[in-house]
């Protein structure tokens, strides 16, 4: 793992939360992006060298919708940057982690991503990201 790539926060209303985080961080989002395959609308903020990703559900089938229904707004996942996603998948499967999608999928902010089951990481949903070619 190279570093924490971003913190993902589930929000009900992206527009309203963009305003909250702009006030908090003193800077607006550098990117707004829909990832239809994940059923999410996202916005990204820079906080120094770190990133915050706000996520709103696009529809009721979105994982964010299910999360909000069950847990309300809040920290949804922590994403780590990796140099070689395929190698990390192999390594983590060997270590006994459930990789939810063993084929990397398109993420936001020009990344390929996989997720681990939160039950294998003490209740934290972990996302692994590699810069997309
Ligand atoms: C890709 C675009 C963007 C990016 O950065 O590039 C994103 O980050 S997209 C983020 C949205 N996409 C995902 O989250 C994909 C991975 N998530 C999943 O596959 C599911 O959400 C999963 C498997 C984590 C949970 O789905 P499930 O249908 O099993 O929902 P349940 O409510 O039944 O959950 C089962 C169990 O897990 C607990 N849970 C669910 N979500 C989380 C979470 N975010 N953090 C921690 N724990 C979570 C849930 O509470 C259930 O546990 P229980 O003890 O039974 O309550
Ligand atoms: Co993310």
């Amino acid at each position: 793992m190279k570093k924490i790539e971003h913190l993902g926060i589930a929000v009900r209303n992206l527009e309203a939360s963009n305003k909250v985080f702009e006030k908090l961080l003193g800077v607006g989002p550098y990117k707004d992006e829909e990832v239809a395959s994940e059923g999410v609308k996202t916005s990204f903020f820079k906080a120094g060298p770190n990133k915050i990703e706000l996520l709103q559900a696009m529809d009721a089938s979105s994982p964010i919708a299910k999360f909000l229904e069950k847990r309300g707004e809040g920290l949804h996942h922590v994403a780590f940057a990796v140099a070689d996603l395929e190698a990390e998948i192999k390594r983590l499967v060997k270590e006994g982690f459930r990789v939810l999608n063993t084929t990397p999928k398109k993420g936001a902010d020009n990344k390929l991503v996989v997720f681990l089951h939160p039950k294998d990481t003490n209740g934290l949903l972990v996302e692994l990201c590699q810069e997309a070619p």
Side-chain angles (χ1 to χ4, degrees):
M1 307 282 177
K2 285 175 24 182
K3 63 174 182 174
I4 289 178
E5 210 287 326
H6 63 264
L7 301 179
I9 300 173
V11 299
R12 292 193 195 291
N13 179 316
L14 197 58
E15 213 177 311
S17 295
N18 277 346
K19 292 194 180 84
V20 169
F21 278 79
E22 179 159 357
K23 271 189 238 158
L24 174 73
L25 301 173
V27 64
Y30 68 88
K31 180 179 277 192
D32 286 305
E33 184 179 349
E34 277 189 16
V35 182
S37 54
E38 284 299 309
V40 294
K41 287 169 72 167
T42 67
S43 56
F44 282 86
F45 292 78
K46 283 227 168 82
N50 302 305
K51 288 184 198 172
I52 301 271
E53 174 189 43
L54 301 184
L55 303 117
Q56 177 188 313
M58 286 172 72
D59 53 47
S61 65
S62 166
I64 297 299
K66 199 163 180 183
F67 179 89
L68 287 169
E69 206 182 292
K70 200 161 194 176
R71 298 163 163 232
E73 293 186 314
L75 184 66
H76 178 261
H77 64 274
V78 174
F80 293 88
V82 298
D84 181 341
L85 204 45
E86 295 293 352
E88 279 299 288
I89 292 169
K90 285 194 185 80
R91 182 180 73 82
L92 292 167
V93 165
K94 229 188 259 158
E95 294 282 8
F97 293 95
R98 278 170 287 176
V99 178
L100 295 170
N101 57 297
T102 48
T103 308
K105 54 186 174 181
K106 180 185 167 331
D109 209 21
N110 195 39
K111 300 282 183 306
L112 289 174
V113 303
V114 300
F115 289 87
L116 308 184
H117 199 288
K119 290 299 175 195
D120 298 341
T121 39
N122 299 116
L124 172 71
L125 178 60
V126 169
E127 175 184 358
L128 305 181
C129 305
Q130 180 181 331
E131 286 296 328

